[in-house]
Amino acid sequence: MGETKTNVPKSTLSIHLFAGGAAGLSEALCCHPLDTIKVRMQLRNSRRVHPDVAAKIPKSFFGVGQRIVQREGVLALYKGLGAVVTGIVPKMAIRFSSFELYKSWLADAETGKVSTTGVFIAGTGAGITEAVAVVTPMDVIKIRLQAQRHSTMDPLDVPKYRNAVHAAFTIIKEEGPMTFYKGVTLTALRQATNQAVNFTFYQEFKRIARQFQGLDELPSYQHLILGGVSGAMGPLSNAPIDTIKTRIQKSTSVAGESGWTRFVNVTRDIAQKEGYKAFYRGITPRVLRVAPGQAITFMVYEKVKGWMDVWNSRSQHMRLSNDKYA
């Protein structure tokens, strides 16, 4: 079973850009605090602290969040948001437009149908494309900012990275521009599995819901629900990849160390010093971050794209009418 073409006018790249950007911005503003908590949980044992101190550090999702707010202020939950917002428009534009492009390449020439396998492949391609173009550099900056443990309430507590732009310049100056692509392979693998699973489940759920209800278009609340369910699938499938990637991107570059050596060292250190359960550390906030994030993204994207499709169709109709009577 797969997607079929409808009589709705094809969305232009600008529509995908605007709708994706609006969806991504909405998702970031709503869900970024959950991502900050997730990163802190994943980095918890990468800090060398005294056992007595470590025992007092909260391990639960809500405990970590409460500790951040108490020690650093509520705004600390939004550390790294600038990097996310800066990259969210091109990220979402690339994600949705590349997905639609790859899907069109895989469509049946006669029927226009795209199989479920085709949707999965298109999602994989979209994930890799966004990882290389936007997500990896954005993640490096975001994680460096989120890993800082300064108080946003104390003006004298000056962090190493003041904001996303300052972090980018500092990283380039101290470590070189290629630092932005630390963990690019793991990021591409994470994004590929995320978007392959995400788009496949979402497209199938949407198709089934349409058929079951006899609707051409679903109401917004159903896009919200279907996006949330499909969004939860990706993190469950690639949690170890995300944890290793976070550790690699948080660390500073070591001269002469290859990407593979860094990957092996980080993976071995986690397994030997923290146990295999550590690979799934932060899975709860990640699911809580990604699932509602995808719910918001798909709902806003579908709604804004629908509005713009209608507006575009009416504009074309008006132009044709004017040309006819000119």
Side-chain angles (χ1 to χ4, degrees):
M1 303 298 289
E3 284 287 292
T4 60
K5 289 182 178 179
T6 68
N7 294 324
V8 177
K10 186 176 180 181
S11 301
T12 63
L13 179 61
S14 61
I15 289 177
H16 287 298
L17 171 67
F18 190 87
L25 180 60
S26 301
E27 182 255 3
L29 293 174
C30 293
C31 302
H32 189 74
L34 298 173
D35 189 66
T36 298
I37 296 172
K38 180 212 76 171
V39 168
R40 290 293 182 87
M41 291 180 73
Q42 289 178 328
L43 296 177
R44 187 172 63 230
N45 282 10
S46 67
R47 299 166 62 216
R48 290 178 171 82
V49 296
H50 192 276
D52 292 338
V53 176
K56 297 178 181 178
I57 298 176
K59 296 179 174 59
S60 69
F61 166 63
F62 291 107
V64 172
Q66 184 180 30
R67 180 182 173 85
I68 292 172
V69 172
Q70 289 176 343
R71 294 171 65 91
E72 305 170 43
V74 175
L75 292 178
L77 293 172
Y78 285 91
K79 287 179 179 178
L81 180 62
V84 175
V85 171
T86 300
I88 207 73
V89 172
K91 172 186 173 180
M92 289 301 178
I94 289 168
R95 174 183 297 180
F96 284 102
S97 60
S98 63
F99 171 72
E100 293 296 334
L101 176 64
Y102 299 147
K103 200 170 69 168
S104 69
W105 290 349
L106 296 166
D108 185 274
E110 296 181 0
T111 65
K113 293 181 179 179
V114 182
S115 66
T116 302
T117 301
V119 172
F120 185 89
I121 294 172
T124 301
I128 294 172
T129 303
E130 71 174 12
V132 174
V134 179
V135 177
T136 304
M138 184 180 72
D139 265 7
V140 171
I141 296 172
K142 174 180 70 71
I143 288 169
R144 293 292 181 91
L145 289 167
Q146 289 174 323
Q148 296 184 128
R149 298 173 186 273
H150 69 287
S151 173
T152 58
M153 298 180 291
D154 184 358
L156 298 179
D157 190 359
V158 180
K160 178 178 181 180
Y161 307 117
R162 293 193 294 271
N163 51 51
V165 175
H166 181 253
F169 278 111
T170 303
I171 291 170
I172 292 173
K173 181 180 178 180
E174 295 182 354
E175 303 174 51
M178 289 309 296
T179 302
F180 290 122
Y181 281 91
K182 285 177 64 176
V184 64
T185 303
L186 289 173
T187 303
L189 183 58
R190 183 195 67 177
Q191 294 304 112
T193 52
N194 268 348
Q195 300 316 317
V197 172
N198 192 18
F199 276 115
T200 302
F201 275 93
Y202 179 75
Q203 296 279 349
E204 284 300 295
F205 287 156
K206 187 168 73 169
R207 179 186 62 79
I208 293 169
R210 278 174 171 173
Q211 288 183 350
F212 182 75
Q213 300 173 88
L215 298 174
D216 290 331
E217 188 55 61
L218 300 176
S220 293
Y221 81 89
Q222 292 189 22
H223 288 301
L224 184 75
I225 294 171
L226 298 182
V229 174
S230 62
M233 304 296 179
L236 296 173
S237 66
N238 59 22
I241 296 171
D242 189 58
T243 298
I244 297 168
K245 177 199 73 69
T246 299
R247 295 288 181 91
I248 289 174
Q249 292 178 322
K250 186 258 181 182
S251 63
T252 55
S253 297
V254 178
E257 185 181 43
S258 67
W260 174 251
T261 301
R262 188 159 50 240
F263 169 77
V264 172
N265 290 339
V266 169
T267 305
R268 184 177 60 243
D269 285 346
I270 294 173
Q272 292 179 351
K273 298 178 181 178
E274 305 170 47
Y276 289 99
K277 286 185 179 180
F279 289 111
Y280 287 87
R281 183 173 294 134
I283 185 64
T284 299
R286 188 173 174 224
V287 171
L288 290 175
R289 163 72 172 84
V290 173
Q294 289 304 306
I296 293 168
T297 296
F298 276 114
M299 182 188 71
V300 175
Y301 174 80
E302 295 279 11
K303 196 68 177 177
V304 174
K305 186 172 76 71
W307 287 338
M308 296 191 71
D309 282 337
V310 171
W311 180 82
N312 191 42
S313 179
R314 289 178 178 173
S315 298
Q316 289 179 357
H317 180 71
M318 290 177 64
R319 282 196 298 269
L320 290 174
S321 296
N322 292 335
D323 290 343
K324 181 179 179 180
Y325 294 103

